[in-house]
Amino acid sequence: MERKKKVLLALARLCREKAPAGQLEIGFTAQEVAREAGIIRSNASGDLNYLVKEGLVVKFPGRPVRFVTRQYWEESKARNGREDTGRMAVQEIEMNPFTSLLGWNSSLKVAVEQARAALLYPPHGLHTLLIGPTGSGKTLFARTMFRYAQTLGRVTGQAQLVSFNCADYAHNPQLLMSQLFGHVKGAFTGAAQEKPGLVDAAHKSILFLDEIHRLPPEGQEMLFYLMDNGQYRRLGETGSYRSCTTLVIGATTADPHSSLLATFYRRFPVVINIPALAERPLAERLLLLKQLLAGESRQIGRPLKVTADAIRALLLYDCPGNIGQLFNDIRLTCARAFLDATSKGTREVVITAASLPPHVQPRSAAGDNYLQELAGLVLEEEWYIEPDEAGVTAACQVPDLYTLLEKEREANGVEGINNEVQWKRSRQALEEYYHRYLKETVQDWKNARLRLARLVGQDIIALAQEAVKIAREDLPGQVDTSTFLALALHLNACRQRLKAGQEIVNPYLEEIQKEYPREIEVARKVMALIEKKLNLALPPDEAGFLAMLFRAGRQGKEPAGEPVGVVVMAHGSRTATSMAEVANKLVGTNAALALDIPLEGEPQQWLIEATRVVRQADRGRGVLLLVDMEPLISWGEIIAKRTGLKIHVLDNVTTAMVIEAVRKASRFPLHELVAEIGKYHYLEEYWPLEGQGNKIIVATCLTGEGAARRIKAMIREWLGDREEINIVTVNMNGQVTGSGMGWQALKGKGKLVAVIGSVDLKIPDVPFISLEEWLLGQGRWRLQELLQLPAREQDITPQELEAVLAQYLRFLEPGKMLDLCSQITRQLSQSLGRRLLPHHKINLIVHLSCLVERLQAGEQGSFWPGEEEIKRRYPREWLAVAEAMAGLEKNFNITIPTGEIAFVVQFLQET
């Protein structure tokens, strides 16, 4: 028989015998077809693609690609009446490259929706800023946005994504500007001929600028002129402007409020946060781990066997470099294991805990949420990955309800399991768990049944469908799509537990039978079905878990509370309306109301209209007013007095802010919603200065906004509750933020005591304290004297010091380094019997943190003159420092050079 026909028959058998009805988008992988046909995978893959071209097979793109026969596809459409929806499902997968991103419908769901909205926005899309730590995947996300733009026709098929890392030339701004915009002959020394820039190459395409905060201010101004007007000049050019139509995607690891000009930052209507690896669910990290290992298996062409200890360590260790570091650590691990396999002459590469880099150790401490998430993962004893298993996913990333109940039982005490109070506590914990899982986690799967099938297998999908059909007949209104998905995941966990020989014990079965008799009856019918289909013997206790699941369906029907009202007000013809439309479309609601205020309009008339819109938006929980600039900020207070409603105002509104507000409006009361949005968007504050006796401190930065506000917060925290001292933020031009007044107006409000920050306003007789002085301690002593405060030790708070470390460190986690280095300073103080002053501690912590990062990056430690003399003169101090440093060496698998020990010893002697 011809091989191609053999492959087609094998796929037909799989569709006929193993494909569950109604799950058209699942299909079978080339590996599954190859096994069924008895041939190798590469041949099956090639034949399947030929059959697709011939129209005999339907292909579903994804990771991995899946197939069904054309006959099965057509019959299923006819049987289910799904011709239109089936075609739309295929088109959606083909038109959405974001589905290739891990977590696209979970932790990255909001980011993906924002990106799609930005690219869909007519006529050419919206400029976008990606924010996230190093290694979180911003570059990959930008490339995926480009691929999506290609599918939309925003860029031509021949166009390329033009990428540029602004940090590469940050030391030479002139060269950076030349690379970006090009230059004319004679523009600078060495410019012998005219040269086009990257902007030219990005015409009718996308320009991706990584580390965009490294652009100098003049570069930011040139770029936002291009973004606004589609025009630019090359470096040294003075004639007419050139034209360019391009969409700008920027990426930064820094806080954009302090690192970008405010005028430049506002040119990005869409700001997308890419979460760090630690912020993503453990289930996603487990899936990512297996994908990366599968990639390495393909790379070396050998199967990988990964032990359970190695899986747990790679899953749970602190990975401050995010996905980038995880990839490097896995590659190093595989290299070590490959070398070991080669020396032993074995083909199979075995990865054990001994193969891992020394710093890959599980976290020693974790919070309750983390432990609960970990308990929800069913980890396999080991993984066996073949080189041809492209895109294999972990089998059991599913919450384990059995473990949850066991932990609750241990907390209650085994002897008292029949106690009524303890049963109520356990019941509440289970119901809350199911309810939260159904309402939050499972919702992310509603559009991702393909992923669900990869997790649990098609036999479980078919079984769950039959079980739901039974439950719907006896429990009308309690069972829906969410219940089906949760049931499929639970059945898979049940099978895994029984295969592993673990018991299924429900100590509250008697109470469940009394309180949920209808659900118990349905659960027993479902158990009979499970035993028949999976050939398993289920203990009676399993009925209790299934009954709780069906009961949770009723719990999930409780109506949600009314949301907080959201109103967007902005100047322009459609500015507010556009932002509200994008947010409502993404979130799937009409919660955001908009009011566009013309620049030439009469303010009093529009204030009346704004009052009407706010009344319309209120549903009894208050209104969040999102505005673009003055004088709309002050309207909030006026409208609140006129209506009697609770109103909060946030300014500098962006599309991202509106999306976040609409998404969370039903989940938080007004004050908590403001706090949630305010994490990333600052609330405009008035500066009430009363009386001539007040003392005024001026906080400064370039814009008077982001950084100045943080300086203000640090000073206020240090001062405590001193109402007679006012802190005012001022920009580099001497203008008080949000008032339109110069700093001279402050003199009439009180006595100017000091200027603190990054800009010296050079006010006569008013001392300037730099931000560095403030953070390192000396500035606090000065301010204490200027304010004539009682003497006290001016210690920096851990939060402030962590913020300082974040400015220095590239990939290490500031919080972790702060803890480790603080232990060293305490150890040195105790062993040497001397007290370190706060600014000495700070200097030492910053130095040691940067030293560890340099050594981890492969850089050499500094040479320190007179090393031998220092060791000879201070043997006790040398030993104490060497012992303290040993903790860093062990934690990061580094060797600290003796020159660095000599430096610390001399530093301690001098302090």
Side-chain angles (χ1 to χ4, degrees):
M1 182 186 299
E2 184 185 358
R3 192 184 67 202
K4 190 165 59 173
K5 183 177 290 186
K6 187 177 182 181
V7 168
L8 181 60
L9 290 173
L11 180 60
R13 281 197 302 273
L14 289 172
C15 291
R16 184 174 60 252
E17 298 172 5
K18 297 187 178 180
Q23 300 298 304
L24 307 182
E25 57 274 82
I26 293 177
F28 300 89
T29 66
Q31 179 71 25
E32 292 170 322
V33 175
R35 288 172 181 163
E36 181 71 20
I39 61 176
I40 63 174
R41 179 191 173 280
S42 58
N43 288 339
S45 179
D47 291 339
L48 284 166
N49 283 298
Y50 277 121
L51 291 166
V52 170
K53 293 178 181 178
E54 293 175 0
L56 297 174
V57 167
V58 175
K59 176 180 178 180
F60 295 94
R63 297 183 65 183
V65 174
R66 291 178 176 265
F67 305 87
V68 294
T69 64
R70 172 66 63 179
Q71 180 182 0
Y72 173 80
W73 176 249
E74 298 294 343
E75 289 176 353
S76 298
K77 286 192 298 185
R79 183 169 58 249
N80 295 282
R82 289 188 51 180
E83 182 170 359
D84 292 336
T85 56
R87 181 165 56 250
M88 288 173 63
V90 177
Q91 289 174 347
E92 170 65 14
I93 294 173
E94 292 175 342
M95 293 286 287
N96 188 0
F98 289 107
T99 57
S100 66
L101 296 177
L102 182 68
W104 71 276
N105 205 24
S106 181
S107 66
L108 292 180
K109 184 175 182 179
V110 173
V112 168
E113 289 173 344
Q114 288 180 268
R116 294 181 65 189
L119 294 169
L120 283 164
Y121 200 84
H124 306 298
L126 299 173
H127 302 297
T128 302
L129 182 64
L130 307 179
I131 301 175
T134 300
S136 56
K138 297 186 295 297
T139 299
L140 176 61
F141 195 88
R143 289 173 182 161
T144 308
M145 287 182 68
F146 176 77
R147 288 166 49 207
Y148 187 65
Q150 286 180 309
T151 66
L152 298 176
R154 289 282 187 260
V155 298
T156 64
Q158 303 299 320
Q160 299 293 319
L161 175 67
V162 180
S163 301
F164 179 66
N165 192 321
C166 300
D168 291 344
Y169 298 94
H171 63 285
N172 190 335
Q174 192 177 56
L175 185 56
L176 188 153
M177 303 300 294
S178 171
Q179 290 289 326
L180 193 55
F181 294 98
H183 62 256
V184 297
K185 183 178 180 180
F188 53 86
T189 303
Q193 59 185 11
E194 186 169 356
K195 173 182 174 294
L198 295 173
V199 169
D200 295 84
H203 181 51
K204 294 187 177 179
S205 186
I206 291 178
L207 177 63
F208 173 57
L209 299 177
D210 202 4
E211 301 297 337
I212 197 171
H213 62 278
R214 302 298 293 273
L215 271 180
E218 60 268 29
Q220 295 183 34
E221 290 171 355
M222 290 175 67
L223 192 58
F224 76 60
Y225 189 86
L226 169 70
M227 295 162 71
D228 280 352
N229 304 298
Q231 295 181 322
Y232 71 101
R233 285 191 181 125
R234 290 179 179 168
L235 201 63
E237 198 166 39
T238 58
S240 60
Y241 282 92
R242 299 172 184 267
S243 296
C244 175
T245 301
T246 186
L247 184 69
V248 176
I249 299 177
T252 178
T253 56
D255 179 1
H257 294 281
S258 58
S259 61
L260 300 179
L261 297 176
T263 49
F264 183 49
Y265 178 66
R266 286 197 291 269
R267 264 61 186 186
F268 292 100
V270 180
V271 179
I272 299 176
N273 285 285
I274 306 298
L277 183 61
E279 297 170 353
R280 301 176 71 167
L282 280 181
E284 280 187 16
R285 182 160 170 172
L286 190 67
L287 180 58
L288 174 64
L289 180 60
K290 197 158 193 180
Q291 287 184 352
L292 293 176
L293 287 167
E296 291 305 302
S297 176
R298 290 193 299 272
Q299 183 73 21
I300 62 179
R302 294 194 186 185
L304 297 180
K305 180 180 178 181
V306 192
T307 65
D309 288 343
I311 295 170
R312 292 189 187 95
L314 286 166
L315 176 66
L316 305 179
Y317 82 104
D318 287 316
C319 190
N322 296 296
I323 297 174
Q325 182 182 340
L326 179 63
F327 174 73
N328 289 333
D329 288 339
I330 286 176
R331 176 156 285 189
L332 176 59
T333 297
C334 291
R336 289 181 173 183
F338 180 78
L339 181 62
D340 185 56
T342 302
S343 64
K344 293 179 180 177
T346 60
R347 182 173 182 271
E348 183 181 79
V349 177
V350 180
I351 296 176
T352 66
S355 310
L356 305 175
H359 64 274
V360 178
Q361 299 291 333
R363 305 176 202 181
S364 56
D368 292 340
N369 292 340
Y370 172 83
L371 291 174
Q372 188 171 2
E373 187 180 3
L374 178 60
L377 297 178
V378 179
L379 299 181
E380 300 167 74
E381 287 302 313
E382 64 182 22
W383 287 346
Y384 190 83
I385 303 172
E386 289 282 1
D388 58 356
E389 290 184 22
V392 174
T393 57
C396 299
Q397 297 161 17
V398 42
D400 185 347
L401 307 178
Y402 308 108
T403 304
L404 177 73
L405 188 60
E406 287 166 359
K407 288 190 174 183
E408 184 67 26
R409 184 186 180 191
E410 291 173 3
N412 288 343
V414 177
E415 296 303 322
I417 59 174
N418 292 320
N419 182 277
E420 181 66 21
V421 175
Q422 292 178 337
W423 153 238
K424 287 183 178 179
R425 286 175 53 192
S426 293
R427 178 183 59 189
Q428 181 180 1
L430 280 168
E431 288 181 351
E432 287 178 357
Y433 176 83
Y434 274 117
H435 179 67
R436 183 171 66 253
Y437 182 67
L438 286 172
K439 295 296 290 182
E440 296 178 8
T441 308
V442 175
Q443 284 183 2
D444 293 337
W445 290 94
K446 286 187 177 179
N447 298 316
R449 294 191 178 187
L450 176 62
R451 293 176 64 195
L452 178 67
R454 293 179 193 172
L455 285 176
V456 304
Q458 296 186 23
D459 55 342
I460 291 290
I461 292 288
L463 178 58
Q465 286 180 319
E466 291 189 52
V468 164
K469 189 175 181 180
I470 294 173
R472 278 180 176 155
E473 293 177 358
D474 294 346
L475 301 171
Q478 277 187 226
V479 180
D480 56 12
T481 305
S482 295
T483 310
F484 156 68
L485 294 170
L487 179 61
L489 294 169
H490 178 73
L491 293 178
N492 189 62
C494 175
R495 179 169 63 179
Q496 293 290 331
R497 191 175 184 89
L498 292 174
K499 283 186 176 181
Q502 296 175 282
E503 286 186 313
I504 292 179
V505 178
N506 192 327
Y508 305 111
L509 181 60
E510 185 177 342
E511 286 80 2
I512 295 172
Q513 289 173 333
K514 290 178 182 177
E515 296 194 23
Y516 313 139
R518 292 176 59 219
E519 287 81 2
I520 281 288
E521 185 179 347
V522 175
R524 287 174 177 150
K525 291 181 181 179
V526 170
M527 284 176 61
L529 176 68
I530 296 171
E531 290 180 329
K532 178 182 177 182
K533 294 290 184 178
L534 298 183
N535 194 27
L536 293 173
L538 296 177
D541 299 60
E542 175 61 25
F545 290 100
L546 293 171
M548 290 297 297
L549 189 150
F550 295 133
R551 182 70 176 187
R554 176 184 296 181
Q555 301 289 336
K557 301 300 179 184
E558 295 174 359
E562 291 292 338
V564 170
V566 178
V567 175
V568 187
M569 296 197 312
H571 294 85
S573 59
R574 275 187 56 82
T575 307
T577 298
S578 297
M579 287 190 280
E581 284 179 353
V582 171
N584 287 336
K585 182 176 180 181
L586 286 180
V587 182
T589 181
N590 292 315
L593 302 184
L595 180 62
D596 299 303
I597 301 176
L599 295 173
E600 65 278 3
E602 178 61 38
Q604 288 302 321
Q605 293 180 354
W606 286 103
L607 178 57
I608 294 172
E609 179 64 14
T611 305
R612 184 192 67 78
V613 174
V614 169
R615 288 184 187 275
Q616 180 183 346
D618 178 60
R619 301 186 184 182
R621 299 184 66 195
V623 177
L624 176 59
L625 198 56
L626 303 174
V627 304
D628 61 346
M629 56 182 175
E630 289 278 7
L632 303 184
I633 297 171
S634 60
W635 284 16
E637 182 179 0
I638 299 172
I639 295 173
K641 289 180 179 178
R642 290 184 177 182
T643 62
L645 301 175
K646 294 180 180 178
I647 295 176
H648 275 267
V649 183
L650 289 173
D651 74 332
N652 295 326
V653 61
T654 65
T655 304
M657 187 193 299
V658 182
I659 293 170
E660 195 78 357
V662 172
R663 192 167 65 86
K664 296 181 176 180
S666 60
R667 294 166 50 192
F668 296 96
L670 180 57
H671 67 283
E672 291 184 16
L673 178 62
V674 171
E676 282 288 310
I677 308 300
K679 291 177 182 178
Y680 308 102
H681 311 287
Y682 293 97
L683 174 66
E684 186 62 60
E685 296 178 326
Y686 296 99
W687 46 286
L689 302 172
E690 301 174 358
Q692 296 289 332
N694 284 334
K695 297 177 180 178
I696 303 172
I697 298 171
V698 176
T700 67
C701 72
L702 293 177
T703 64
E705 296 181 354
R709 285 192 174 99
R710 277 186 289 282
I711 296 169
K712 175 179 177 178
M714 287 191 291
I715 299 171
R716 176 56 64 194
E717 183 178 356
W718 178 79
L719 284 173
D721 188 18
R722 296 180 183 272
E723 296 181 357
E724 76 281 5
I725 302 174
N726 292 284
I727 308 169
V728 178
T729 57
V730 177
N731 64 25
M732 65 181 296
N733 296 320
Q735 191 175 49
V736 179
T737 305
S739 72
M741 303 169 62
W743 66 262
Q744 294 84 354
L746 297 174
K747 287 187 173 181
K749 303 289 186 178
K751 179 183 178 182
L752 298 182
V753 177
V755 175
I756 303 176
S758 54
V759 177
D760 184 359
L761 300 178
K762 300 189 184 302
I763 302 175
D765 302 321
V766 178
F768 172 66
I769 300 173
S770 70
L771 180 58
E772 183 178 3
E773 286 181 285
W774 176 265
L775 291 174
L776 295 180
Q778 299 95 324
R780 301 170 191 235
W781 290 100
R782 291 181 62 194
L783 186 60
Q784 178 177 284
E785 294 175 355
L786 291 168
L787 293 173
Q788 298 179 344
L789 298 177
R792 63 189 178 102
E793 183 174 322
Q794 310 301 314
D795 208 347
I796 188 171
T797 67
Q799 294 78 14
E800 292 170 341
L801 185 50
E802 187 173 335
V804 175
L805 289 179
Q807 300 299 316
Y808 287 93
L809 299 179
R810 292 170 295 172
F811 57 85
L812 290 180
E813 183 183 340
K816 180 179 179 180
M817 291 309 304
L818 176 59
D819 291 340
L820 292 173
C821 295
S822 297
Q823 291 175 15
I824 290 176
T825 60
R826 289 194 295 269
Q827 183 178 338
L828 289 173
S829 294
Q830 293 172 0
S831 59
L832 297 177
R834 66 180 67 172
R835 179 172 169 272
L836 291 175
L837 293 176
H839 63 280
H840 294 150
K841 292 180 187 176
I842 295 165
N843 282 322
L844 189 56
I845 288 171
V846 171
H847 173 78
L848 293 177
S849 298
C850 294
L851 170 64
V852 171
E853 191 166 73
R854 291 200 309 272
L855 294 177
Q856 276 217 311
E859 300 178 23
Q860 297 297 317
S862 305
F863 167 78
W864 193 252
E867 174 186 324
E868 292 300 325
E869 177 65 16
I870 294 173
K871 185 175 183 180
R872 185 186 63 79
R873 290 183 60 188
Y874 307 110
R876 175 169 167 266
E877 288 80 358
W878 185 282
L879 180 61
V881 171
E883 289 179 349
M885 295 282 208
L888 290 178
E889 292 179 325
K890 181 179 179 181
N891 269 285
F892 295 98
N893 191 32
I894 57 176
T895 301
I896 295 179
T898 52
E900 295 291 347
I901 297 177
F903 165 80
V904 175
V905 171
Q906 184 170 332
F907 173 85
L908 292 173
Q909 290 304 112
E910 292 177 354
T911 57

